[in-house]
């Protein structure tokens, strides 16, 4: 009898451990299935392996490069959502920062740095610094509105989203700045004959943010605030400062995404660029297991979530699903991911 | 050793606090000496928690002064209290469930490496040092969600100590503990006292109060009634001071006159939230005019069993019947309409909508029916009338029926649930921890009502972690262990020792067979 119950206990413990690892595992599994499907669709064939492999690689680099911007934003969104917040202003912040970058670098008569006589590498460095500072500033203001102003994150960032896009469009009306070709190297530098700079930025940032979330005091406090704000407050965590910093970080990441975006094609459609990014970033985080209620979420999960959405898009493309229908699949995958995770948690 | 006498480490004088419609503290005086365990005693709603929240800076007193070590202090928020060496263990623990013990203990004051990174080694070292210093053993790397309630409480106490607490406030710490955990807590408290810490201890269990405390201060309806040394008083006198009249600590009752078998469970299997078996093959019956008590250490499937009976949780197999009618896996409204009422163990999750008013909570189960509503229109005058009637009958201490339940004291929230459920003229009552958090007067009242229901020929099933309560109420006692009923014995055969052994899983097979035979 004693021995039997002993075994039962052991069994319970084992189950719990597996259960917690499983949620990440499930996400990874879905991704692997999608990748296998994709591989098959690309016509995997032993006889012409070399040919197949180069097509496969090219396809992958395309996928990753196209999603690097949103991928980077979704990393920050994960932090925001873990604190129980949301940031709808990321797309508009992206165009606002983009507009400033282009105005600074414009090779035409109105270019700010050009008129100041700053060109070449110093100009690019300065632009990058200013862009990141601007992103940080926008994020910090949003954070302060939420914490000191006690405005709900949804409302504060909805307001910021409207203001930033409208102001940007107004000032950039009829103005077409031209970005120096050299600046485009930031995203288009070729290594071998492959262009994967944006992927490297995304990967590096993912690793950094992973370490921030796991190892730093800030990262731990982000989770504490999201899990039980009152408990964190009573423990002496400066809840407002943690929250504000999360939005500042979001702003910095958006600025980096904006630099990548501008340097990829050298232009930006201020009316449409970045619109819908907030939803895609949220979708990636949610598919990756981040809870909209806060307190739960991981960087690894979000990267996997982003990849799932990206690979699925690619598959739909390869299958020839009409573009208007593709968004529906994105919606489905988000809903299924949450249903699945709810079941697993229960 | 520090001389414990004569040095008041804390003096609260003339504390008055008014909430809309209630004078929660009316000129309260409270003095705590260094190295003393001081119990705070009083009825539900007497103002104990309010006084402690004022001390901890969660509320501001309207008037009155607080002196720490003889110095006048102004405590505006918990951080001020922490700086003055006041720590509080909240009734609802303030821990982050997915963090480890260490991570919780250093949260907000984490040791850093390179100004940025959390130094987990240093943190663990610090935690272990403090845990050793105070003799509070913990597993530093266990996640909070995987440790017992007693352990979580220990972590809360350590947390206060690590922040330099000299005065510890424990608000009803034993309400959530098993008897074993209570005695461990008392050892910890005694150890802390010997190290010069001062402890304020709130409890409704008079035996505990006389066992552990040096001094007792009694508050009634917001006023200090007096302070006595524990050695110079007894349980009955304390009860009288609290309630203002003599209280029957064990309600008198006649032997049961059980009738036909009314409620029956056959071979029931119920999973828990993780889909693991929580109840494994339970069979049990309750006869009309009988109270059956279910005893057991917390977490042996009692909650799941109670929830399955009342339609809040699905059973995977087995059968539940009341008067021959099948109740298995019906919705909780259907079960309720079969005249089964339920006092749930977790009042915050299943019992009350805290943001609703007392009146709204009173009709939570019946609002959709006449006389409370007709054609989907609510009749507020009828609802409020009903609420006023129950407030009066069940002595719920509230300014009126319109205040939100969240502003009631813990015990009075429990009374609202009991009033709602018992006023439904049920055939079968399922009561889980019915008197958790209630004062002695209220316990007497609730026990009386359950026994009256029994004597009126109803069937009653009581789940309780308190052996005293099981022994006071039950006519038969079933003991649960690891999801099974390991024995059913008559009240006359039951002793604390015998039940204790059964609860620990040392099964009395004979007994089980006899019981099973009798059942089948
Ligand atoms: N935040 C609040 N708003 C309004 N009234 C309140 C609030 N907190 C407490 N009260 C009222 O103050 C009175 C004292 O409540 P308190 O919680 O101090 O009682 P208590 O002695 O701790 O009771 P219990 O033993 O039931 O926990 C009660 O009548 C309660 O309704
Ligand atoms: Mg209280």
């Amino acid at each position: 009898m004693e021995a039997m119950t002993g075994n039962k206990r052991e069994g319970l413990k084992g189950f719990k451990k597996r259960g917690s690892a499983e949620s990440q595992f499930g996400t990874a599994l879905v991704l692997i299935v999608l990748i296998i499907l994709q591989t098959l669709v690309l016509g995997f064939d032993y006889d012409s392996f070399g040919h197949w492999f180069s097509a496969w690689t090219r396809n992958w680099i395309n996928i990753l490069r196209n999603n690097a911007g949103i991928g980077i934003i979704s990393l920050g969104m994960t932090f925001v959502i873990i604190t129980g917040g949301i940031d709808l202003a990321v797309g508009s912040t992206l165009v606002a920062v983009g507009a400033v970058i282009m105005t600074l670098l414009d090779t035409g008569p109105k270019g700010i740095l050009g008129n100041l006589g700053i060109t070449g590498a110093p100009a690019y460095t300065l632009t990058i610094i200013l862009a990141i500072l601007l992103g940080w500033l926008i994020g910090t203001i949003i954070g302060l509105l939420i914490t000191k102003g006690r405005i709900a994150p949804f409302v504060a960032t909805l307001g910021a989203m409207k203001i930033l896009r409208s102001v940007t469009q107004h000032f950039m009306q009829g103005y077409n700045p031209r970005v120096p070709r050299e600046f485009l190297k930031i995203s288009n530098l070729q290594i071998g004959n492959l262009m994967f700079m944006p992927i490297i930025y995304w990967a590096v940032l993912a690793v950094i943010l992973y370490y921030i979330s796991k190892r730093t005091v800030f990262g731990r406090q982000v989770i504490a605030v999201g899990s039980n704000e009152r408990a964190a407050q009573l423990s002496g965590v400066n809840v407002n400062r943690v929250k504000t910093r999360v939005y500042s970080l979001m702003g910095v990441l958006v600025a980096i995404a904006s630099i990548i975006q501008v340097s990829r094609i050298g232009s930006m459609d201020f009316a449409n660029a970045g619109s819908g990014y907030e939803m895609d970033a949220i979708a990636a985080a949610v598919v990756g297991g981040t809870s909209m209620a806060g307190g739960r979420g991981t960087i690894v999960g979000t990267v996997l979530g982003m990849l799932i959405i990206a690979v699925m898009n690619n598959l739909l493309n390869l299958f020839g699903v009409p573009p208007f229908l593709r968004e529906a699949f994105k919606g489905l995958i988000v809903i299924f991911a949450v249903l699945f995770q709810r079941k697993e948690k229960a | 050793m520090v001389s414990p006498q004569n040095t008041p480490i804390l003096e609260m004088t003339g504390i008055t606090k008014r909430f809309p419609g209630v004078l929660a503290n009316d000129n309260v005086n409270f003095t705590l000496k260094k190295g003393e365990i001081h119990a705070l005693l009083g009825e539900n709603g007497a103002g104990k928690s309010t006084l402690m929240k004022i001390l901890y800076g969660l509320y501001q007193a309207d008037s009155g002064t607080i002196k720490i070590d003889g110095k006048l202090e102004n405590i505006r928020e918990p951080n001020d209290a922490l700086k003055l060496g006041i720590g509080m263990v909240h009734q609802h623990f303030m821990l982050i469930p997915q963090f480890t013990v260490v991570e919780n203990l250093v949260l907000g004051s984490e040791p850093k490496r390179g100004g940025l990174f959390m130094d987990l080694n240093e943190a663990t070292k610090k935690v272990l040092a403090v845990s050793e210093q105070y003799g509070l053993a913990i597993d530093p790397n266990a996640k909070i969600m995987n440790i017992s309630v007693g352990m979580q409480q220990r972590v809360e106490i350590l947390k206060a100590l690590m922040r330099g607490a000299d005065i510890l406030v424990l608000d009803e710490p034993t309400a959530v503990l098993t008897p074993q955990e209570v005695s461990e807590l008392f050892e910890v408290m005694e150890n802390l006292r010997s190290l010069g810490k001062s402890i304020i201890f709130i409890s409704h269990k008079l035996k505990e109060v006389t066992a552990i405390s040096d001094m007792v201060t009694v508050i009634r309806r917001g006023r200090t009634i007096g302070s006595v040394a524990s050695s110079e008083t007894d349980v009955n006198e304390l009860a009288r001071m609290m309630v203002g009249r003599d209280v029957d600590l064990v309600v008198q009752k006649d032997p049961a006159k059980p009738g036909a078998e009314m409620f029956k469970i056959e071979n029931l299997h119920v999973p828990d939230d993780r889909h693991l078996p929580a109840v494994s093959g339970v069979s049990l019956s309750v006869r009309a005019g009988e109270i059956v008590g279910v005893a057991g250490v917390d977490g042996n499937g009692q909650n799941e069993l109670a929830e399955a009976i009342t339609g809040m949780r699905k059973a995977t197999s087995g059968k539940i019947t009341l008067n021959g009618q099948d109740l298995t896996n019906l919705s909780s409204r259907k079960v309720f309409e079969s005249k089964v009422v339920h006092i749930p163990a977790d009042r915050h999750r299943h019992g009350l909508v805290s943001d609703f008013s007392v009146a709204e909570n009173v009709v939570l189960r019946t609002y959709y029916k006449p006389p409370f509503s007709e054609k989907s229109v609510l009749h507020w005058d009828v609802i409020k009338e009903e609420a006023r009637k129950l407030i009066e009958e069940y002595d719920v201490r509230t300014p009126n029926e319109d205040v939100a339940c969240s502003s009631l004291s813990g015990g009075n929230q429990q009374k609202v649930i009991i009033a709602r459920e018992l006023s439904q003229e049920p055939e079968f009552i399922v009561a889980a921890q019915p008197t958790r958090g209630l004062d002695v007067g209220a316990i007497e009242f609730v026990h009386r009502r359950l026994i009256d229901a029994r004597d009126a020929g109803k069937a009653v099933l009581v789940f309780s972690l308190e052996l005293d309560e099981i022994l006071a109420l039950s006519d038969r006692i079933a003991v649960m262990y690891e999801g099974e009923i390991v024995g059913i014995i008559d009240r006359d055969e039951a002793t604390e020792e015998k039940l204790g052994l059964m609860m620990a899983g040392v099964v009395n097979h004979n007994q089980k067979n006899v019981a099973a035979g009798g059942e089948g």
Side-chain angles (χ1 to χ4, degrees):
Chain A
M1 182 75 204
E2 282 286 273
M4 232 182 72
T5 50
N7 275 338
K8 203 154 122 198
R9 280 256 169 85
E10 285 290 288
L12 294 189
K13 262 191 199 155
F15 184 91
K16 270 183 205 159
K17 268 184 204 148
R18 242 176 293 138
S20 60
E22 224 159 86
S23 60
Q24 212 74 266
F25 182 71
T27 321
L29 201 69
V30 172
L31 180 60
I32 290 168
V33 169
L34 284 172
I35 292 176
I36 290 173
L37 257 175
Q38 179 205 30
T39 309
L40 294 177
V41 173
L42 278 179
F44 178 73
D45 181 2
Y46 258 124
D47 299 333
S48 52
F49 183 83
H51 178 73
W52 172 85
F53 186 73
S54 87
W56 191 85
T57 317
R58 213 168 288 278
N59 184 43
W60 259 101
I61 287 183
N62 263 328
I63 295 176
L64 294 175
R65 202 178 40 188
N66 288 339
N67 286 287
I70 299 180
I72 289 168
I73 292 171
S74 70
L75 300 174
M77 193 64 88
T78 308
F79 274 55
V80 169
I81 298 178
I82 290 176
T83 63
I86 196 164
D87 191 344
L88 301 176
V90 290
S92 304
T93 309
L94 183 104
V95 285
V97 174
V100 169
I101 293 172
M102 294 176 66
T103 317
L104 285 170
L105 288 175
D106 186 11
T107 49
K110 275 167 145 182
I112 295 176
L113 292 181
N115 287 337
L116 290 172
I118 308 172
T119 52
Y124 308 146
T125 316
L126 192 60
T127 302
I128 290 171
I129 291 171
L130 288 175
I132 288 176
L133 272 178
L134 179 64
W136 176 84
L137 185 70
I138 293 173
T140 305
I141 291 171
I142 290 174
L144 289 174
L145 284 172
I146 290 167
T147 54
K148 297 273 150 85
R150 292 168 185 276
I151 305 175
F154 191 98
V155 177
T157 57
L158 182 67
M161 164 174 153
K162 296 286 175 206
I163 294 168
L164 288 169
R165 176 147 335 243
S166 134
V167 169
T168 308
Q169 271 182 281
H170 175 77
F171 282 106
M172 300 307 282
Q173 212 172 3
Y175 172 35
N176 260 325
R178 298 176 57 106
V179 176
R181 295 202 126 272
E182 264 189 306
F183 186 73
L184 304 192
K185 278 207 182 128
I186 291 175
S187 284
N188 294 316
L189 187 72
Q190 295 204 2
I191 299 173
N193 60 350
L194 300 170
M195 298 190 292
F196 46 59
M197 292 312 290
I199 306 174
I200 293 176
Y201 304 138
W202 180 15
V204 168
L205 286 169
V207 170
I208 292 175
L209 284 167
Y210 173 82
Y211 272 98
I212 290 180
S213 75
K214 290 279 178 207
R215 295 262 182 274
T216 64
V217 170
F218 169 70
R220 302 311 290 166
Q221 291 188 345
V222 165
I223 296 174
V225 166
S227 172
N228 188 340
E229 188 168 328
R230 213 177 129 65
Q233 181 93 50
L234 286 175
S235 300
V237 174
N238 189 334
V239 171
N240 281 351
R241 195 169 67 196
V242 170
K243 282 191 178 174
T244 308
R245 282 190 182 165
V246 161
Y247 288 91
S248 312
L249 176 67
M250 181 82 255
V252 168
L253 291 169
V254 173
I256 295 172
S258 186
I259 295 167
I260 294 173
Q261 187 106 337
V262 171
S263 63
R264 269 188 68 191
I265 40 179
S267 71
M268 196 175 243
D269 169 4
F270 298 111
N272 297 312
S275 79
Y277 276 25
E278 63 285 341
M279 290 306 158
D280 287 345
I282 293 166
V286 168
V287 170
T290 305
S291 157
M292 290 303 286
R296 201 160 54 87
T298 59
I299 292 296
V300 175
T302 297
V303 171
L304 291 174
M306 189 70 228
L307 290 177
I308 286 180
I309 293 176
V311 173
M312 195 197 55
N313 247 335
N314 179 242
L315 260 178
L316 295 173
N317 198 354
L318 294 172
F319 278 133
V321 174
F324 283 129
L325 266 183
R326 282 184 213 152
E327 285 290 302
F329 279 91
K330 208 185 282 176
L332 280 177
I333 206 164
V334 171
I335 290 169
F336 272 111
V338 173
L339 278 178
F340 181 70
Q341 285 156 11
R342 169 110 8 105
K343 264 196 103 172
E344 213 166 54
K345 222 179 78 186
Chain B
M1 181 118 312
V2 206
S3 87
Q5 264 67 47
N6 310 334
T7 1
I9 189 168
L10 167 70
E11 258 185 296
M12 299 178 82
T13 318
I15 301 287
T16 297
K17 173 74 184 174
R18 187 181 290 279
F19 290 112
V22 214
L23 194 53
N25 284 169
D26 182 5
N27 204 12
V28 173
N29 298 323
F30 180 75
T31 307
L32 177 71
K33 288 187 195 135
K34 190 168 169 54
E36 168 178 89
I37 297 179
H38 197 137
L40 202 52
L41 205 58
E43 290 176 284
N44 297 127
K48 307 177 295 291
S49 296
T50 303
L51 186 68
M52 290 303 108
K53 285 179 182 168
I54 289 170
L55 175 62
Y56 195 60
L58 289 166
Y59 291 155
Q60 296 300 304
D62 300 332
S63 61
T65 57
I66 301 177
K67 278 188 192 169
I68 309 283
D69 272 331
K71 234 181 91 209
L72 211 56
E73 300 285 358
N74 195 356
I75 303 175
R76 272 193 235 93
E77 50 158 29
N79 271 331
D80 296 343
L82 283 173
K83 276 181 208 133
L84 292 166
I86 301 165
M88 182 151 170
V89 173
H90 300 265
Q91 172 116 40
H92 289 110
F93 299 148
M94 289 288 167
L95 298 170
I96 310 291
Q98 65 267 50
F99 277 17
T100 64
V101 168
V102 169
E103 287 173 325
N104 265 285
L105 285 172
V106 298
L107 182 63
S109 52
E110 297 90 345
K112 293 179 193 174
R113 209 160 8 97
L116 205 60
F117 293 94
M118 172 134 169
D119 192 340
L120 210 55
N121 289 336
E122 180 63 31
T124 311
K125 233 187 273 164
K126 252 170 81 178
V127 165
L128 286 179
V130 179
S131 106
E132 203 152 298
Q133 182 186 351
Y134 295 108
L136 282 158
I138 39 126
D139 172 3
N141 298 317
K143 287 220 167 101
I144 294 296
M145 59 187 177
N146 296 332
I147 64 179
S148 69
V149 173
M151 237 350 139
Q152 293 181 18
Q153 189 173 65
R154 187 172 283 202
V155 173
E156 283 277 16
I157 294 174
L158 258 182
K159 199 165 147 185
L161 293 171
M162 283 191 65
R163 282 163 176 69
D166 287 318
I167 301 172
L168 261 180
V169 180
L170 307 176
D171 192 348
E172 296 193 38
T174 58
V176 289
L177 299 185
T178 62
Q180 172 64 28
E181 287 172 329
V182 169
S183 53
E184 282 171 22
L185 173 67
F186 284 0
E187 271 173 39
V188 166
M189 285 167 67
E190 276 167 355
N191 188 24
L192 290 175
R193 171 173 57 190
S194 71
L195 291 167
K197 305 283 179 190
S198 317
I199 299 173
I200 304 173
F201 170 69
I202 300 180
S203 172
H204 286 296
K205 297 173 193 161
L206 301 177
K207 278 192 199 164
E208 291 178 355
V209 167
T210 47
I212 187 77
S213 59
D214 305 306
M215 285 292 288
V216 185
T217 292
V218 179
I219 300 181
R220 194 196 308 154
R221 297 186 184 251
R223 291 166 180 246
T224 343
I225 297 299
S227 300
V228 286
S230 306
S231 52
E232 287 158 22
T233 184
D234 63 34
V235 169
N236 288 313
E237 190 194 341
L238 288 177
R240 200 160 45 239
M241 277 176 86
M242 254 176 86
V243 185
R245 63 175 166 87
D246 280 315
V247 180
D248 288 332
L249 294 174
V250 175
V251 176
Q252 298 304 311
K253 60 173 187 181
D254 299 326
K257 300 182 197 68
E261 189 176 271
M262 192 161 154
F263 173 78
K264 194 168 179 189
I265 307 172
E266 288 163 88
N267 198 22
L268 195 72
H269 289 261
V270 186
D272 67 8
D273 288 340
R274 293 172 179 272
H275 303 295
L276 299 173
V279 174
S280 322
V282 161
S283 298
L284 182 70
S285 68
V286 187
R287 291 172 288 184
E290 178 185 51
I291 299 180
V292 173
V294 179
V297 177
D298 199 11
N300 275 284
Q302 300 99 310
N303 289 341
E304 287 81 2
L305 179 58
E307 288 173 15
I309 294 172
T310 51
M312 299 199 309
R313 185 180 288 277
K314 292 263 177 285
T316 43
S317 67
K319 198 166 175 194
I320 305 171
T321 52
L322 181 71
N323 289 325
Q325 186 197 349
D326 191 353
L327 295 186
T328 324
N329 290 344
L330 293 186
S331 71
S332 74
R333 186 181 273 190
K334 284 265 168 57
V335 172
F336 174 71
E337 284 178 345
S338 316
K339 297 210 158 297
V340 177
V341 299
H342 178 34
I343 299 166
D346 185 343
R347 65 170 166 254
H348 296 278
R349 260 176 61 201
H350 301 303
L352 288 174
V353 182
S354 325
D355 293 334
F356 278 16
S357 70
V358 175
E360 285 166 315
N361 272 295
V362 159
V363 295
L364 207 53
R365 276 171 169 288
T366 44
Y367 66 91
Y368 59 94
K369 287 193 300 205
F372 303 123
S373 71
E374 267 159 302
K375 301 194 178 69
S376 300
V377 178
L378 292 172
H379 293 311
W380 279 109
D381 44 341
V382 184
I383 293 174
K384 288 189 175 192
E385 183 56 43
E386 173 76 5
R388 279 194 293 270
K389 200 187 92 202
L390 292 180
I391 287 170
E392 168 78 29
E393 188 182 342
Y394 287 80
D395 189 26
V396 181
R397 307 273 167 92
T398 170
N400 56 54
E401 68 281 2
D402 290 324
V403 300
C405 272
S406 56
S407 77
L408 298 192
S409 80
N412 281 301
Q413 295 180 5
Q414 181 74 3
K415 287 195 210 165
V416 171
I417 299 175
I418 290 172
R420 179 183 70 214
E421 299 295 320
L422 294 190
S423 63
Q424 308 293 340
E425 298 175 1
E427 285 297 309
F428 180 44
I429 300 169
V430 182
Q433 323 305 336
T435 57
R436 182 180 274 176
L438 293 191
D439 65 52
V440 282
I443 292 175
E444 178 192 25
F445 178 81
V446 171
H447 283 182
R448 188 75 263 156
R449 293 305 290 251
L450 291 174
I451 290 167
D452 287 349
R454 176 199 78 166
D455 291 344
K458 316 296 179 205
V460 182
L461 185 62
V462 175
F463 292 81
S464 181
L465 303 175
E466 305 282 335
L467 277 186
D468 283 346
E469 179 159 58
I470 292 281
L471 289 169
L473 285 174
S474 315
D475 302 311
R476 280 190 303 141
I477 300 168
V479 179
M480 277 192 91
Y481 177 72
E482 301 237 315
E484 294 169 23
I485 289 191
V486 292
I488 302 178
I489 55 178
D490 279 339
R491 169 64 184 92
D492 303 334
E493 301 166 28
T495 58
E496 275 198 34
E497 292 70 41
K498 198 166 185 175
L499 291 176
L501 287 176
M502 289 168 79
M503 284 162 65
V506 185
V507 189
N508 187 332
H509 282 284
N510 258 341
Q511 199 66 55
K512 188 180 180 181
N513 290 339
V514 169
E519 281 303 292

